[in-house]
Amino acid sequence: MEKRPEEQKKKKFIHKGLQSQLLAWSVLIGTILLICGTTFAWYTTIKKEADSEILDVMTPYYLTLLNPSESDALSLSVGSLMPGKVKQIVFCVSNRNDEENGINSDKADFDYTLELIHTDNLDLIYSLYALEAATADTADIVAEDVLVVDGVPTTQPTYWTVQTPGSPLAGNDVSAERHEQVSLSGNEINSGTYIAYEGEDLHLSVTENGYDSQYFLLEIEWTESAQTNFERYERETDMIYVLAKAVQPVPQKKTTQ
């Protein structure tokens, strides 16, 4: 991921929650509201055999999208994006169980997938990167959450580097499959692009804290052709969604007589 010359001497800052005044001719990329609250699932399958009953009990799991500081559920507001600029959004995927103060007593390990969904009204490029925590001295990305402490708004910075510089995560375009699924359900097709991300690196386990967290950077920028014909997008809006889906964990078998 190459830095632009004007950005090489300064850190990249992301401001969430507070937006500066927009220029009259700026393009609004939709307000993205993504709150994937804690999802709790417990699957059971009953198999009856002769005189015994075999019960497959799925390990309970928690999957939550959080802001970079992990202090609250994720709420994304992209705001405006000017030609030649790059919008950067940091988010967290965690299996933290807030009902037990962050501890997953069920010890659930599982894979998960990410899916980036966006409409196509604007000619934009979307890239997703895996992040590693860094210090203020070594970070090339600084994300700031706006928090309210004792009724007073304050900012909490977090510091990051990209795991593999210049290499975004490889996603699969599953748009045709998603459109078909919606069509078969009898609902109106929501046209747009659906990009799915999966792999062994997308995995949450149980750590010394009792939960695990992984962090990602979503970058959004205009294509070169859009920058030269920017006036055609002045009144357009795009909606963007990020979905996290747990891959069903391996069941624990329990036998009852």
Side-chain angles (χ1 to χ4, degrees), residues 20-32:
S20 58
Q21 184 175 2
L22 305 182
L23 296 179
W25 53 276
S26 66
V27 173
L28 179 66
I29 298 180
T31 296
I32 302 164

Side-chain angles (χ1 to χ4, degrees), residues 15-232:
H15 299 282
K16 294 171 55 185
L18 299 179
Q19 297 290 338
S20 58
Q21 184 175 2
L22 305 182
L23 296 179
W25 53 276
S26 66
V27 173
L28 179 66
I29 298 180
T31 296
I32 302 164
L33 179 61
L34 177 112
I35 302 179
C36 181
T38 302
T39 302
F40 173 86
W42 197 327
Y43 297 91
T44 61
T45 302
I46 299 177
K47 184 187 296 183
K48 294 184 178 180
E49 297 180 357
D51 297 329
S52 66
E53 181 180 275
I54 306 299
L55 184 64
D56 289 348
V57 180
M58 186 62 63
T59 303
Y61 63 87
Y62 296 82
L63 179 60
T64 310
L65 285 170
L66 301 169
N67 59 20
S69 62
E70 297 188 52
S71 57
D72 203 353
L74 181 65
S75 180
L76 300 179
S77 180
V78 175
S80 63
L81 178 59
M82 309 309 298
K85 300 296 183 180
V86 179
K87 183 70 67 171
Q88 296 183 310
I89 300 168
V90 174
F91 64 92
C92 169
V93 181
S94 178
N95 63 354
R96 188 177 73 185
N97 173 11
D98 287 326
E99 296 179 359
E100 298 182 14
N101 298 318
I103 303 300
N104 266 340
S105 60
D106 42 73
K107 311 291 188 208
D109 281 27
F110 57 90
D111 296 331
Y112 67 92
T113 63
L114 289 173
E115 194 161 317
L116 174 65
I117 307 167
H118 61 83
T119 51
D120 299 308
N121 300 319
L122 304 177
D123 195 5
L124 300 170
I125 300 172
Y126 300 88
S127 302
L128 192 65
Y129 298 87
L131 295 180
E132 292 179 348
T135 64
D137 295 331
T138 61
D140 52 14
I141 299 168
V142 180
E144 287 187 350
D145 290 329
V146 178
L147 309 177
V148 178
V149 180
D150 296 329
V152 179
T154 184
T155 59
Q156 179 172 332
T158 54
Y159 305 97
W160 311 97
T161 58
V162 176
Q163 283 188 6
T164 308
S167 300
L169 297 179
N172 298 316
D173 191 331
V174 294
S175 302
E177 179 182 348
R178 296 293 180 264
H179 295 165
E180 182 180 4
Q181 290 171 343
V182 174
S183 177
L184 291 176
S185 67
N187 296 317
E188 183 178 351
I189 293 179
N190 182 11
S191 61
T193 299
Y194 296 70
I195 305 296
Y197 300 87
E198 57 186 7
E200 60 183 13
D201 292 334
L202 301 183
H203 180 86
L204 295 172
S205 59
V206 178
T207 66
E208 294 180 356
N209 294 326
Y211 66 93
D212 195 8
S213 297
Q214 293 185 321
Y215 307 89
F216 300 90
L217 169 68
L218 175 61
E219 281 197 342
I220 309 171
E221 60 184 318
W222 292 98
T223 64
E224 291 186 6
S225 61
Q227 294 183 48
T228 59
N229 298 282
F230 188 68
E231 63 280 354
R232 65 183 293 186

